[in-house]
Amino acid sequence: MFANRIAIVTGGGSGIGRAVCKLLAKENASIIVADRNVKGAQETIASMTEGQHVAVEVDVAKLDSVKSMFELVNKTYGSEEVATLLVNSAGITKDGWVIDMKPEDFDQVLDVSLKGTFYTTQLACKTMIDKKKSDGGSIVNFSSVSAKIGNMGQANYAAAKAGVEGLTRTVAREMGKYNIRCNAVIPGFIETPMVETVPEHIMQGMLFLTPLGRKGQPEEVANVIKFLLSKESSYITGAMLQVSGGLFL
Ligand code: NAI
């Protein structure tokens, strides 16, 4: 499905990002597994049986680091090649009540999820446009149910993810003429290291509100991302696709 396509997956060293890498590798994409935790990125590659991939240490919250990652794509694949698939899975939480939240904890969550998504998206779009390789460019971002309904203790995270939705819709509008599509997934509670710290009683409450009555698996989100990256979704852009077991209807 993705033969001769280069994909950048941020946050590819864990959770949903790792599941996306594995799935895209099976579909013959060449993947830049990009993560602040390079060991995690290397472990992802070690778990992939098909294809040649590159692990890269990147902090998406820092523009210089993101620029270096795009230079690495050039060096690795040659200056004519471009990553036309981008998955912005990197994200963090720093929970706390709004009245106690440290400004730096608010900033850090926005820096990774929102500014990080902006930096990679801007460079990916610029490169695709400059090299006229825009046929079939596809970007998938990550929102959250927290952005839709708010979530106690997550003022920073909900704000960041709501921002990602606005960014996604705007990129979809601006880039449509270059045939670059931009969509987002809205995961519910997915069984990854990110949700391991959620207290059991909160998790039980969430599962009670989830019509499917269980947590999701990273692969169930990855399947939807594969669809959004592929030509099978060629007329979908600016969409927010829930993969939440029906948590927010
Ligand atoms: P995870 O914690 O398993 O993976 C996140 C990855 O992002 C980690 O490998 C981490 O090292 C990397 N990362 C963090 N900061 C980074 C930075 N500055 N630069 C580069 N990499 C960085 O989390 P998970 O669950 O796989 O989350 C993936 C995305 O899905 C995130 O954007 C998250 O906000 C979103 N999401 C997850 C949900 C869930 O239930 N797991 C629910 C809703 C949204």
Side-chain angles (χ1 to χ4, degrees), residues 93-113:
T93 51
K94 287 208 174 267
D95 296 354
W97 298 111
V98 72
I99 52 169
D100 298 325
M101 189 172 280
K102 293 190 195 116
E104 55 268 33
D105 286 349
F106 191 87
D107 284 348
Q108 273 180 27
V109 170
L110 265 83
D111 283 352
V112 176
S113 278

Side-chain angles (χ1 to χ4, degrees), residues 32 53 99 109 118 130 226 234:
I32 305 280
H53 313 287
I99 52 169
V109 170
F118 165 65
D130 286 352
K226 181 179 103 175
S234 51

